[in-house]
Amino acid sequence: MNAVTRPFCFRCRRPQEVCLCADIPSLDVRTRFVFLTHPKEAKKTKNGTGRLAHLALPGSEVLVGVDFREHPRVNALIRQGGCWLLYPAARGEDAGASQAPRVLFVLDATWPCAKKMMTQSTNLHGLPRLSLEVDRPSEFVTKHQPDPRCLATIEAVDRTLWALTEHGGERWDAARSEALLRPFRRMNDIALEFARNPPPGSYRRSGPFRPPESRPGRSSKATGRNIVFLG
């Protein structure tokens, strides 16, 4: 017997019954965000927040891959100048530099995948880096975070825009921040409601819902790092 296929939204890539498109704003910003998305992240259809950020920022781009050394679009942007990388660095550049980024590359992946992408993409190594200090935990409550300072990609974008605004490179405010994060928060609400009240006939191997912080097996690999992207 063929499985029943639910109607699908090809824009936000979620089932139509939990489509987030009505919550996704259109926000013009000065910085061109270019999401370098790991293939595993690109395949996510339910909780890939990098795509939500991309849909909310009309001037942004998504480029899928692992090794971007020979990627023509990435190298063309680098040659034009003004490119920065959102990535931790012990002595990295930050938003307080004299010139704000024209283009900001964002590695859209889990931390292990982002680290591999960075290792292989040597053309990114010479770019000035913007590092964020994470002073509050992620709102990605349904995700089992390896560290309390881990952020969803869309949260990293929001905090980056706040940091750039602080130094004159952007004009970000509470209303625009709320609009950007609205679909992400709605996604969390949907997941939590399903976890707490699964529909009849659903199958939950993990048993009753437990908050991520109460689950065993938390990793210590991210200790000491100030930002991690979780997609």
Side-chain angles (χ1 to χ4, degrees):
M1 182 173 62
N2 293 331
V4 177
T5 302
R6 291 186 293 175
F8 189 75
C9 175
F10 288 93
R11 183 169 182 259
C12 69
R13 298 183 180 175
R14 291 170 60 86
Q16 286 185 6
E17 63 190 56
V18 289
C19 173
L20 296 173
C21 289
D23 296 301
I24 299 173
S26 180
L27 303 167
D28 290 325
V29 294
R30 296 175 178 176
T31 308
R32 177 182 291 274
F33 284 83
V34 178
F35 297 94
L36 304 182
T37 302
H38 193 279
K40 291 182 179 179
E41 195 69 33
K43 293 177 181 178
K44 291 184 178 180
T45 59
K46 294 182 180 180
N47 61 358
T49 74
R51 181 166 182 80
L52 295 179
H54 164 59
L55 293 174
L57 303 174
S60 65
E61 301 178 48
V62 173
L63 306 175
V64 179
V66 177
D67 183 352
F68 290 90
R69 282 177 296 181
E70 305 299 329
H71 196 287
R73 178 57 177 161
V74 171
N75 287 326
L77 289 169
I78 292 174
R79 285 195 298 270
Q80 291 172 16
C83 294
W84 287 49
L85 176 68
L86 182 61
Y87 196 81
R91 297 183 178 179
E93 302 278 357
D94 63 23
S98 59
Q99 186 174 1
R102 179 183 64 87
V103 172
L104 185 63
F105 291 113
V106 179
L107 301 187
D108 181 24
T110 60
W111 175 257
C113 290
K115 187 175 181 181
K116 181 177 180 180
M117 293 165 70
M118 188 61 187
T119 299
Q120 296 189 8
S121 302
T122 54
N123 53 339
L124 304 178
H125 291 184
L127 298 178
R129 298 185 188 181
L130 192 156
S131 297
L132 298 177
E133 290 299 329
V134 179
D135 56 0
R136 62 185 186 277
S138 170
E139 295 181 33
F140 211 161
V141 294
T142 60
K143 188 91 171 187
H144 193 165
Q145 317 280 35
D147 185 270
R149 291 165 296 180
C150 293
L151 297 176
T153 301
I154 196 169
E155 293 177 299
V157 169
D158 175 62
R159 299 191 194 187
T160 295
L161 287 165
W162 279 115
L164 292 172
T165 297
E166 182 180 350
H167 296 282
E170 281 288 351
R171 295 178 179 176
W172 201 238
D173 55 38
R176 302 181 87 199
S177 174
E178 172 65 28
L180 176 66
L181 295 175
R182 187 185 305 125
F184 168 63
R185 289 167 174 162
R186 174 62 180 152
M187 180 185 73
N188 271 323
D189 290 344
I190 292 170
L192 284 172
E193 178 60 26
F194 179 85
R196 290 167 177 154
N197 300 289
S202 66
Y203 176 60
R204 289 183 54 80
R205 289 182 296 177
S206 57
F209 173 78
R210 292 185 297 166
E213 62 271 15
S214 69
R215 302 169 195 167
R218 293 177 62 81
S219 170
S220 61
K221 291 182 179 180
T223 301
R225 302 183 178 119
N226 62 352
I227 186 169
V228 181
F229 308 113
L230 290 178

